Amino acid sequence: MPAPASPSTARAINDRLALRLLQQEGPLTAGQLKQLTGLSRPTVADLVERLTVSGLITVVGESGEQRRGPNARLYGIVADRAHLAALDVRTESVTVTVTDLLGRELAEASAPVGGDTGTGVAVEQSVTLVERAAKEGGAERLHTVAIGAPGLIDPVAGELRDSTGLPEWHRRLVAALQERLPRAAVIVENETNLAALAEQRDGAARGRDTFVLLWLGHGTGAAVVLDGALRRGASGGTGEIGFLPVPGTGGLPSATDCTGGFHSLAGAAAVTELARAHGLTGASAAELVRRSAAADTVRAASFLDDLADRVALGAASVVAVLDPGCVVLGGEVGQAGGEALAGRVADRVRRMSPLPLEVRPGALGGGAVLRGALITARDRAQDELFAPPGQGGGGRSGG
């Protein structure tokens, strides 16, 4: 039998339980905390006093359902105890949002980064964007910064690896933010992994602890969540599905170029080219797919059929190896296809695989990366701030 928890450990467990409930449910009275936690009235009174003294919670109002007085006080998390920043770093742009500890947006900004912009200039533009957004949001300092970027993340060092084809300023940006924001924890994560986290928490994969997100956007990728855990692989390369050899590309990918792999069938450029072959032109890949999904024409249906044939090759490979039970079509193109594309992909995979599979369109589209980065920043900050005294602050940088 395990040894009973020490009084200090029991207090820490109770405190974190109460804080999570306040985060999820919003302001609560001591009586409501007692009901939801199952703790005794004296125990709840003690934890409320501890959390108030520590500056984590405060009285935010009174409950209208109870008589006035101590029992009617509503307690809520002190949202401005920490400020957070989330970044979506693309090949040619940066978007940042600044929030409080509860994830409420205080400021958002974005800026293009031209392909001919020098590395130093691109880094300075991006860091300045973060600093300006923080100032506009009233954040004197940032507690945690989470960055979503394309490419491989070293699973040991938690750093963006030097990947062929990606701008050098991506890797330099992480170091620059750590230097300019020395008191902040700076975390970097693969963009597709963050999209999967967002879809699991707030989108199409809510309630599932095993699924694969197939990212269909400018590039292709996959995020694998098994038994509730995000799987990164030995080198951080789990889900590099753009390099998957598939029929129909006329070649094979190489170690330095995914041309000839699944990317050549389902990346945005390939989708646009396929649409053009069906006589559909004049918009981005996502918009072409969205219009086709909404149209009731033979041409649109034929385009979606052919696109589903391609997407199903990647999805079927994932299903054969992982048996996830659910594939979410994420990214701008995956979301744009809606049920029209998801249903077609599901039909084709079922014909190729005996394993049961549900295919869902992503609910968050391109915004999933920024949402996932925010969730990551908030979780990291809360883990540190909600930890017992002396047990927080497990490192100020890295993943």
Side-chain angles (χ1 to χ4, degrees):
M1 294 289 293
S6 66
S8 61
T9 300
R11 286 194 295 270
I13 293 172
N14 293 339
D15 289 355
R16 294 198 60 154
L17 174 58
L19 287 164
R20 290 301 180 190
L21 285 170
L22 290 168
Q23 175 197 353
Q24 296 165 7
E25 305 293 334
L28 298 169
T29 65
Q32 290 169 328
L33 281 170
K34 174 182 178 298
Q35 182 180 9
L36 291 170
T37 61
L39 299 172
S40 68
R41 189 178 301 277
T43 299
V44 170
D46 287 344
L47 74 83
V48 166
E49 182 178 1
R50 277 196 306 275
L51 295 175
T52 302
V53 170
S54 69
L56 286 172
I57 69 172
T58 190
V59 176
V60 296
E62 290 188 344
S63 171
E65 299 178 359
Q66 303 188 38
R67 66 182 184 274
R68 298 180 64 83
N71 291 336
R73 291 172 183 163
L74 280 169
Y75 295 93
I77 291 175
V78 179
D80 61 359
R81 175 67 184 270
H83 292 102
L84 319 170
L87 281 76
D88 182 1
V89 178
R90 302 294 178 99
T91 304
E92 297 180 349
S93 68
V94 176
T95 301
V96 58
T97 184
V98 174
T99 76
D100 62 21
L101 184 57
L102 291 176
R104 292 189 292 238
E105 184 179 296
L106 304 175
E108 184 173 1
S110 60
V113 180
D116 58 349
T117 304
T119 297
V121 174
V123 170
E124 182 60 29
Q125 287 179 346
S126 302
V127 174
T128 300
L129 187 73
V130 174
E131 293 175 332
R132 186 169 71 242
K135 183 177 181 179
E136 291 175 358
E140 293 185 7
R141 81 175 184 92
L142 293 172
H143 181 282
T144 306
V145 179
I147 305 167
L152 302 179
I153 308 298
D154 187 308
V156 176
E159 298 175 349
L160 190 63
R161 290 172 51 186
D162 187 8
S163 302
T164 302
L166 294 177
E168 171 65 20
W169 66 269
H170 281 193
R171 295 185 71 245
R172 292 273 298 277
L173 174 60
V174 178
L177 283 169
Q178 290 173 340
E179 181 178 350
R180 294 269 278 270
L181 305 170
R183 298 172 65 191
V186 180
I187 312 161
V188 61
E189 179 60 272
N190 173 267
E191 59 179 0
T192 307
N193 287 344
L194 290 178
L197 174 61
E199 292 285 0
Q200 183 183 37
R201 194 75 65 90
D202 299 323
R206 183 181 297 178
R208 296 201 63 99
D209 62 0
T210 295
F211 72 98
V212 169
L213 181 134
L214 189 60
W215 181 269
L216 304 173
H218 176 73
T220 58
V224 177
V225 178
L226 300 178
D227 301 322
L230 183 67
R231 307 296 181 176
R232 294 178 174 82
S235 63
T238 295
E240 287 296 311
I241 200 169
F243 287 88
L244 180 72
V246 291
T249 65
L252 291 171
S254 71
T256 58
D257 189 354
C258 59
T259 301
F262 180 65
H263 173 82
S264 293
L265 289 183
V271 173
T272 301
E273 184 178 346
L274 178 63
R276 188 180 300 116
H278 284 270
L280 305 170
T281 59
S284 66
E287 186 59 30
L288 288 166
V289 172
R290 183 176 294 106
R291 292 177 185 176
S292 298
D296 185 19
T297 65
V298 173
R299 178 178 297 177
S302 179
F303 165 57
L304 289 178
D305 285 342
D306 284 355
L307 178 57
D309 287 342
R310 295 181 172 197
V311 175
L313 291 174
S317 299
V318 165
V319 170
V321 175
L322 298 174
D323 185 20
C326 177
V327 169
V328 175
L329 302 184
E332 295 90 339
V333 171
Q335 183 195 37
E339 294 291 349
L341 179 60
R344 284 171 164 85
V345 172
D347 289 342
R348 284 153 177 78
V349 176
R350 290 189 190 111
R351 293 199 293 265
M352 289 187 279
S353 171
L355 303 177
L357 177 69
E358 182 179 2
V359 181
R360 303 177 181 178
L364 304 176
V369 176
L370 195 63
R371 179 64 185 161
L374 172 57
I375 291 170
T376 299
R378 189 181 67 198
D379 286 353
R380 171 68 74 90
Q382 290 181 350
D383 281 345
E384 179 177 318
L385 293 172
F386 295 175
Q391 296 184 27
R396 305 302 299 163
S397 65

